[in-house]
Amino acid sequence: MQITIHTKAVHLHDNGQPNLLATLFAGPLSTAAFKTKEQAPAPATPELAPGETYCCLMPSRGDLRAYHLIFGAESTEQLTYGPDDTIDNANDHYDGAANTAALLASGKPHPAAAYCRGMGEQWYLPAHAEMMAAFVHCPESFNKEGYYWSSTQDGRYYAWVQDFEYGISYLTRDKGTQRRVRPARRSFI
């Protein structure tokens, strides 16, 4: 078996047949995060409530255990990210739940994060990597027009957004712009 890394995708070659194993967004390759079919069966997909969309299995990363990523219904209106301000601990590219908690604990208005948490305690504004995973695994369940907010900020003025028509992910300088919002939740394995 041979593992080859091409840009940000990992391909597993077994008997000369390449198979997409996982999409990486950053960080070192950890063999503990990847199991082949022979090593462990895939965990069962969790039950979904009406209106929910199953996205994918997100691998463990640091202290964050592996989990199923599930999206809820899109907001009926476009919302802003929040004020131009740096919020401590709201810059994680992988942990949308932690980012959302930090945004809401700041005491400042963050409409996109508040909408997601308003669906229930387990719901949050997805992180940058979670939105990228959604483009890879379930783009058909997202609107192709406009961009979606992620919970990942990068300083006072910038936050990451995701497009579902072409897969563009970029830092926008205007947190006050109204954009699409799609809440996420986790089902840990």
Side-chain angles (χ1 to χ4, degrees), residues 80-96:
T80 63
Y81 182 90
D84 287 339
D85 199 1
T86 301
I87 306 300
D88 292 335
N89 302 315
N91 59 351
D92 195 294
H93 287 268
Y94 302 91
D95 194 347

Side-chain angles (χ1 to χ4, degrees), residues 10-54:
V10 175
H11 296 270
L12 175 66
H13 297 271
D14 196 2
N15 299 328
Q17 298 297 318
N19 295 308
L20 182 61
L21 180 61
T23 300
L24 295 180
F25 304 109
L29 176 64
S30 168
T31 56
F34 302 99
K35 303 285 184 199
T36 64
K37 288 188 269 185
E38 297 83 18
Q39 292 173 322
T45 303
E47 288 189 34
L48 301 176
E52 292 183 344
T53 300
Y54 178 80

Side-chain angles (χ1 to χ4, degrees), residues 38-174:
E38 297 83 18
Q39 292 173 322
T45 303
E47 288 189 34
L48 301 176
E52 292 183 344
T53 300
Y54 178 80
C55 180
C56 63
L57 178 63
M58 297 291 285
S60 60
R61 185 171 176 82
D63 293 335
L64 186 60
R65 298 184 344 245
Y67 61 94
H68 294 282
L69 179 60
I70 300 164
F71 284 93
E74 183 174 328
S75 168
T76 57
E77 60 185 85
Q78 294 188 14
L79 302 168
T80 63
Y81 182 90
D84 287 339
D85 199 1
T86 301
I87 306 300
D88 292 335
N89 302 315
N91 59 351
D92 195 294
H93 287 268
Y94 302 91
D95 194 347
N99 290 343
T100 298
L103 291 170
L104 297 176
S106 73
K108 298 177 179 170
H110 288 90
Y115 168 78
C116 294
R117 183 54 54 81
M119 294 192 60
E121 191 61 32
Q122 77 276 22
W123 293 96
Y124 60 90
L125 184 61
H128 177 217
E130 291 172 315
M131 294 303 285
M132 290 175 67
F135 176 74
V136 170
H137 297 286
C138 60
E140 68 283 349
S141 67
F142 286 78
N143 195 310
K144 305 294 184 252
E145 295 178 18
Y147 288 84
Y148 285 80
W149 283 116
S150 81
S151 61
T152 308
Q153 66 167 350
D154 191 1
R156 178 177 190 89
Y157 301 108
Y158 297 95
W160 285 93
V161 294
Q162 180 68 44
D163 164 74
F164 283 88
E165 184 173 9
Y166 301 106
I168 297 167
S169 179
Y170 78 96
L171 277 170
T172 181
R173 190 176 194 282
D174 190 0

